[in-house]
C-alpha cells in the first residue's frame, strides 16, 4: 500500500514545513510541496530522515585522533573526525547545525570532545538508534532556573550543533538504490 501524500498548494514557511516533514516521516507519510529538500542523511537502521546536506558544518576538535575531508551529499570538504570514548570505542563523526532527533538524558560536561560544550545522546525519533550527540555551549543553561528552561546569551561563535556517527547514517539516494522492483512474468 502506498503512503498517503500531503500536498501543499501555497508556499509554507520553512519552519512549518520542517515540523510537518519530521511529523510525516515519523508516521510514514510523504510530503509533496514546493520546498526543495535537497539531499538528506537517513538513519541507517530504519531510513528515517535526520539531517539535510545544507546543515553539514565543520567543527574541528583538538581531541580528534584523526581528521580528513570528504565529499558527502555533494558538499565538498566535509570534516570527518575520529574520536575515542573513555571505553575505548572509536567513532567517525560529522557535524551538523540542526537535526531531526530525540535528545536522551541530561547534558554531560565530562569527557566532551568539543571544548566548551556539554553533550547529550541524540537518538533516531523512529527506531531509537543512537545516532550521535547534541553539543550545547557550557554557559548556555542558566543554573538559577529550576526548570532548566532559561538561557543566558551566548556569543555568535558558540552555537548548538550535532555530532553524528558516520556509519550510523546512510545517503537517501543509496537507500533508494537498494529497493528492488518485483519481476513480472508472463505476457
Amino acid at each position: 500500500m502506498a503512503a498517503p501524500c500531503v500536498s501543499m498548494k501555497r508556499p509554507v514557511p520553512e519552519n512549518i514545513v520542517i515540523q510537518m516533514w519530521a511529523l510525516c516521516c515519523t508516521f510514514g507519510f510523504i510530503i509533496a510541496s514546493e520546498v526543495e529538500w535537497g539531499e538528506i542523511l537517513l538513519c541507517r537502521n530504519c531510513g528515517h530522515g535526520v539531517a539535510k546536506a545544507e546543515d553539514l558544518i565543520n567543527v574541528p576538535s583538538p581531541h580528534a585522533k584523526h581528521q580528513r575531508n570528504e565529499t558527502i551529499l555533494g558538499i565538498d570538504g566535509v570534516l570527518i573526525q575520529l574520536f575515542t570514548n573513555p571505553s575505548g570505542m572509536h567513532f567517525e563523526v560529522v557535524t551538523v547545525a540542526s537535526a531531526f532527533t530525540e535528545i536522551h538524558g541530561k547534558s554531560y560536561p565530562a569527557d566532551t570532545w568539543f571544548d566548551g560544550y556539554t553533550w547529550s545522546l541524540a537518538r533516531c525519533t523512529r527506531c531509537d538508534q543512537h545516532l550521535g550527540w547534541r553539543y550545547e555551549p557550557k554557559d548556555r543553561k542558566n543554573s538559577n532556573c529550576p526548570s532548566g528552561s532559561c538561557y543566558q546569551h551566548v556569543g555568535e561563535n558558540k552555537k548548538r550543533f550535532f555530532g553524528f556517527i558516520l556509519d550510523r547514517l546512510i545517503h537517501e539516494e543509496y537507500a533508494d538504490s537498494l529497493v528492488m522492483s518485483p519481476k513480472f512474468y508472463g505476457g
Side-chain angles (χ1 to χ4, degrees):
M1 182 170 121
C5 180
V6 178
S7 180
M8 296 175 211
K9 300 294 184 194
R10 287 180 262 147
V12 178
E14 186 174 358
N15 65 330
I16 300 299
V17 174
I18 290 171
Q19 291 171 6
M20 290 177 67
W21 179 78
L23 179 65
C24 289
C25 287
T26 300
F27 294 105
F29 293 95
I30 298 169
I31 295 180
S33 74
E34 296 174 15
V35 176
E36 181 62 42
W37 285 100
E39 302 289 333
I40 305 288
L41 285 170
L42 309 174
C43 169
R44 183 179 290 273
N45 192 51
C46 73
H48 181 64
V50 295
K52 299 187 296 184
E54 65 192 48
D55 290 328
L56 284 163
I57 58 173
N58 291 338
V59 182
S61 169
H63 302 286
K65 304 293 182 199
H66 180 74
Q67 296 178 340
R68 73 178 195 276
N69 293 303
E70 297 285 339
T71 300
I72 297 178
L73 299 174
I75 307 293
D76 292 327
V78 175
L79 181 63
I80 300 172
Q81 301 178 89
L82 177 66
F83 294 105
T84 304
N85 72 8
S87 299
M89 296 177 65
H90 302 285
F91 300 98
E92 280 198 316
V93 174
V94 295
T95 49
V96 296
S98 64
F100 306 108
T101 60
E102 180 178 310
I103 304 308
H104 182 74
K106 64 179 190 167
S107 287
Y108 297 95
D111 301 317
T112 184
W113 293 324
F114 296 93
D115 295 334
Y117 288 86
T118 61
W119 58 271
S120 303
L121 291 176
R123 297 183 169 276
C124 177
T125 59
R126 181 183 285 166
C127 71
D128 206 38
Q129 169 76 24
H130 172 223
L131 298 173
W133 304 268
R134 179 181 69 186
Y135 290 92
E136 294 268 352
K138 283 186 181 177
D139 59 346
R140 187 172 173 107
K141 283 196 176 182
N142 184 341
S143 59
N144 295 328
C145 293
S147 67
S149 61
C150 300
Y151 293 93
Q152 299 172 349
H153 174 72
V154 176
E156 286 300 311
N157 60 340
K158 287 195 123 186
K159 295 182 179 182
R160 170 191 304 170
F161 66 92
F162 294 80
F164 282 140
I165 303 165
L166 191 57
D167 68 1
R168 307 249 173 113
L169 304 173
I170 192 169
H171 182 275
E172 181 181 36
E173 283 184 19
Y174 178 72
D176 289 345
S177 74
L178 299 176
V179 178
M180 296 178 62
S181 300
K183 293 183 179 180
F184 292 99
Y185 297 99

